[in-house]
Structures are given as structure tokens and as C-alpha cells.
């Protein structure tokens, strides 16, 4: 698998990766099946691992920290990475070998390689292309033949599952000491859940989301999320509504797994803003304490935990920056895409004095009206205008999205604009791309605070166009 690559191969890898996106028609088939098409995902993923030359038990060597949840799982992973980075520095000061820390998260904001990080940095374009084609070419090769789980099993994993496979392959080849793995959707059938013996599992805040594949009740969703719990592996959860916690407790008991429920941290400075982040910080702290004890037999120092929480960084969440083009305009971006996270976003952004402008997009499977109503009613904001656009950016190939039909996307923006106009009486504008939305806002407004929210894809596009980086 010693694939020769160059920096130019990165764009080719992104192009070939984009061809693995689940197209609109397949998504509709999965929805119509009630999620049944996902039930073979773990056995199929195991077969893909084998074709790549790995045994599923090899993943246990990665000392995985596995994190599921409806909202906050990405921030929890960011806090976890920051704390373990401080532990690594402490080990180095003691003359010991520092940790090599892998992180797999989704979605990316600007470049797809952000999803696979080592020691807090996305893998390089050259390494991304190298590991992409090692994975891609091995799966395309007729030898050894792929073990088929069923007659309908695919020959190649789709976009997210391919990236999960590539991440596990990368971390094994790079010999990381720990892999922080964020679940994509759910948990029970998520491709990250192929790992059999993680060191510790974490469950962030649960809510109603992805009903087509996870179910319409909090109990059904909790069952899927708690599917990451493994036999005799410690599990930590933030405080949950009673119905969700009851399911988590049942699944922990079934697996003879010790469950700990943590309260939000207090009197600690956090690098990621927002009151809601205190629960995520508490979850990350407990995960790191458990990981350190189980892998290094050392208690986690309060000093490096506090420093890790303080230095944590998670772009696209509660993030602010001045416009390079219009100094009197300040961008505020937050990838809130559920009603619970939108409520937290509103509380973070709220202001009764400064004039505000909204830039909004809700992904095609989200309830845009519910998100907009939540934003409007949760906290006072002096909105004077609003702009709506689909998740279309002309900046780079990493932003291509084939999972929706463009006409449907633009129609959805007009509907969102109508809802916001109905709620607020604001003047509204609909434009066909993120690039044009940013340009319109910066050409039209001065001395305003702009909130871009509703979708992490939108936030990534705004960061790319308005700031040029994350």
C-alpha cells in the first residue's frame, strides 16, 4: 500500500471522495426504509476493514475514547483533545514519551482533512491523499475479494463511512496512543461503533434529531446513542431528561458497564464560550480522568485539566471575528442546528442594543421554522435584516454537496425567509450561494453584529469566504 502521492493529489482525492457522497435518491430510499438499510452497517464495515488488511481487534490498540450525543459531542471531543494535550506536555516534562493524539470529527468546516487530526492539527494534504488512496485502492482491488454480508452489500462505503475507515487506517498506520472518535449519527449502527473495546465511552446531551433514522421519541434516540456502550467499558453521561437517562441506564446494565452521570463544571474558565459548554467540559474531564487511569494508571492532575479546558478551541461554535473588509461589522458564527442548540446560540448572541443581521440556512432535513422560532423567542436580539442562502460555496471542492437537489434547497430558503419575515417583519434577502450572501451582507450593512447559524456547512462556508480560515 505504498501509494506515491504529491500535494496535487489532494484535489484528486477530494474529487474521488466527493463521488462517494450519498446522492439524493439513495437518501430518500434510506428514509423510506425506516433506517433498515443501516442494520448491516457494522458487519459490512468490518468486512471493509478486513479488505484493508486490518482485524477489528486491531482497533483496540488505539485506546479509543468514543463520544455520542445529539448536541455537544464535537465540543466534548475538543475539550478532551485539549486536556490530553496538556497531559502529553506533562509526560514530556517528566522525561516520558508524549502522547500522539488522534481525533476524528465531522463535519469539516473548510477542508475535509480537518476531520482527521493528529495532535490537534489536520493531517497534511500529502498525508490525506496518501491514506485516501491506500484505502481507496485497496477497496477497489479484486484481491483479496470483499466478504459480502448480504447480496445488497456495497462494494465501496459511502462518504462518511469511507472517511471513518480512512481515519481508523490512518491512526493505525500513525501509531497514535489515543483516538478520540466522534459518532456521526446515532451510535448503534454508526461506522465508528465498529470498535469493540474502547477505553471509555461518553454521551453528550440528547434531544430530538435525525428522526428518519433514529426514531421520533427521546427513548428511541437514546437507545441508538447508548449503542456505543460496550461490555465492562466505563461510560460517562451528562445530565439527561429522565426518559433518556432511563434508557442509558438500561443499556449500561445490559453490558455490565459502570455508568457515571456528571454535573456541569463551575468556576472554571473555558476556551469555548457558552453556558451550555459547562456540561461538555464536565463530560470531557471525566472521560480524560478515566482514560488516564485505565491506560497510564495515573490520576489526572487538576492543573492540566483546568489548563486544557481553558485552552480548548472549537471553530464554528460560539465564534466571533471582525470582518477584514468592513471593520465596523462583526461576524458571529455558531453551527446550531437543533432547537436545543439554537436556544443556547440565542443566549450566547443576544443583545438588545446593537443592531443585528441574520444569515441563515437549515440543512434540508431540519425543521427550519422550529429553529427560527426558537432563535426569535429564546433571547432578545435587535435584528434589522436577514439573508438566506443554500449551502453552496464556490470556494473549493471540499464544499461540494451532492446530497440535496439544488432547486429544493433554494425553495427551502425562500420558505425560511417567509417564516422569518412573518415572525419579525424584517426585510429579507435570498441569494443562491454563501459567497453572494457574505458579499451582500458586507456591501449592505455597517456597524452591525451578524449571526450566521442553522448549519455547520453554512458556518464553514462563511469562515472560508469572510475570514479565509477557521
Amino acid at each position: 500500500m505504498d501509494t506515491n502521492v504529491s500535494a496535487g493529489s489532494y484535489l484528486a482525492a477530494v474529487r474521488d471522495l466527493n463521488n462517494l457522497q450519498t446522492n439524493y435518491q439513495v437518501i430518500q430510499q434510506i428514509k423510506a426504509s425506516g433506517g433498515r438499510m443501516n442494520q448491516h452497517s457494522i458487519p459490512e464495515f468490518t468486512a471493509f476493514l478486513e479488505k484493508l488488511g486490518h482485524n477489528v481487534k486491531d482497533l483496540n490498540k488505539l485506546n479509543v475514547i468514543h463520544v455520542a450525543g445529539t448536541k455537544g459531542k464535537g465540543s466534548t471531543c475538543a475539550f478532551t483533545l485539549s486536556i490530553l494535550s496538556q497531559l502529553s506536555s506533562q509526560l514530556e516534562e517528566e522525561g516520558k514519551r508524549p502522547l500522539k493524539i488522534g481525533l476524528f470529527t465531522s463535519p469539516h468546516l473548510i477542508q475535509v482533512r480537518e476531520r482527521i487530526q493528529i495532535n490537534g492539527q489536520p493531517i497534511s494534504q500529502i498525508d490525506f491523499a496518501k491514506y485516501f488512496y491506500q484505502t481507496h485502492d485497496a477497496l477497489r482491488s479484486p484481491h483479496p475479494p470483499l466478504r459480502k454480508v448480504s447480496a445488497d452489500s456495497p462494494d465501496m462505503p459511502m462518504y462518511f463511512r469511507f472517511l471513518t475507515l480512512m481515519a481508523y487506517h490512518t491512526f493505525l498506520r500513525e501509531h497514535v496512543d489515543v483516538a478520540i472518535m466522534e459518532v456521526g449519527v446515532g451510535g448503534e449502527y454508526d461506522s465508528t461503533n465498529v470498535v469493540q473495546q474502547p477505553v471509555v465511552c461518553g454521551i453528550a446531551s440528547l434531544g430530538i434529531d435525525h428522526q428518519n433514522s433514529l426514531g421520533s421519541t427521546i427513548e428511541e434516540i437514546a437507545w441508538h446513542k447508548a449503542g456505543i456502550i460496550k461490555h465492562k467499558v466505563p461510560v460517562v453521561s451528562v445530565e439527561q431528561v429522565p426518559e433518556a437517562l432511563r434508557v442509558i441506564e438500561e443499556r449500561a446494565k445490559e453490558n455490565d458497564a459502570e455508568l457515571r452521570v456528571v454535573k456541569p463544571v463551575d468556576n472554571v474558565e473555558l476556551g469555548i464560550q457558552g453556558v451550555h459548554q459547562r456540561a461538555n467540559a464536565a463530560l470531557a474531564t471525566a472521560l480524560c480522568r478515566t482514560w488516564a487511569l485505565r491506560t497510564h494508571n495515573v490520576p489526572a492532575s487538576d492543573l492540566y485539566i483546568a489548563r486544557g479546558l481553558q485552552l480548548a478551541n472549537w471553530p464554528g461554535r460560539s465564534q466571533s471575528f471582525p470582518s477584514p473588509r468592513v471593520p465596523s461589522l462583526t461576524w458571529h458564527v455558531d453551527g446550531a442546528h437543533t432547537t436545543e442548540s439554537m436556544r443556547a446560540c440565542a443566549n450566547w448572541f443576544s443583545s438588545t442594543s446593537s443592531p443585528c443581521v441574520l444569515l441563515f440556512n437549515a440543512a434540508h432535513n431540519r425543521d427550519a421554522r422550529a429553529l427560527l422560532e426558537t432563535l426569535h423567542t429564546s433571547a432578545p436580539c435587535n435584528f434589522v435584516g436577514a439573508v438566506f442562502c443554500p449551502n453552496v460555496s464556490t470556494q473549493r471542492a471540499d464544499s461540494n454537496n451532492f446530497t440535496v437537489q439544488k432547486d429544493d434547497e433554494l425553495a427551502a430558503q425562500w420558505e425560511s425567509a417567509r417564516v422569518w419575515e412573518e415572525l419579525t417583519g424584517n426585510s429579507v434577502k435570498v441569494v443562491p450561494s454563501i459567497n453572494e450572501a457574505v458579499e451582500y451582507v458586507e456591501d449592505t450593512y455597517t456597524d452591525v453584529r451578524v449571526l450566521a447559524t442553522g448549519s455547520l456547512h453554512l458556518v464553514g462556508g462563511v469562515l472560508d469566504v469572510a475570514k479565509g480560515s477557521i
Side-chain angles (χ1 to χ4, degrees), residues 394-425:
T394 59
Q395 289 294 103
R396 60 185 80 237
D398 303 61
S399 304
N400 288 344
N401 185 352
F402 305 136
T403 65
V404 295
Q405 292 182 323
K406 288 183 171 55
D407 289 345
D408 289 348
E409 262 286 82
L410 201 54
Q413 306 320 308
W414 281 107
E415 175 60 21
S416 294
R418 187 192 64 77
V419 169
W420 187 253
E421 190 174 31
E422 171 191 309
L423 290 170
T424 67

Side-chain angles (χ1 to χ4, degrees), residues 92-124:
E92 194 169 18
E93 289 171 4
E94 295 171 354
K96 301 174 183 175
R97 186 175 64 82
L99 298 175
K100 194 170 190 179
I101 307 168
L103 172 67
F104 176 67
T105 65
S106 60
H108 59 277
L109 293 175
I110 296 179
Q111 294 193 48
V112 66
R113 61 193 182 93
E114 297 163 25
R115 297 182 184 225
I116 304 174
Q117 300 185 22
I118 294 179
N119 290 339
Q121 296 297 318
I123 59 174
S124 69

Side-chain angles (χ1 to χ4, degrees), residues 75-96:
S75 298
T76 296
C77 289
F79 280 123
T80 301
L81 168 65
S82 188
I83 293 170
L84 291 182
S85 297
Q86 294 304 308
L87 170 59
S88 180
S89 297
Q90 178 179 305
L91 292 173
E92 194 169 18
E93 289 171 4
E94 295 171 354
K96 301 174 183 175

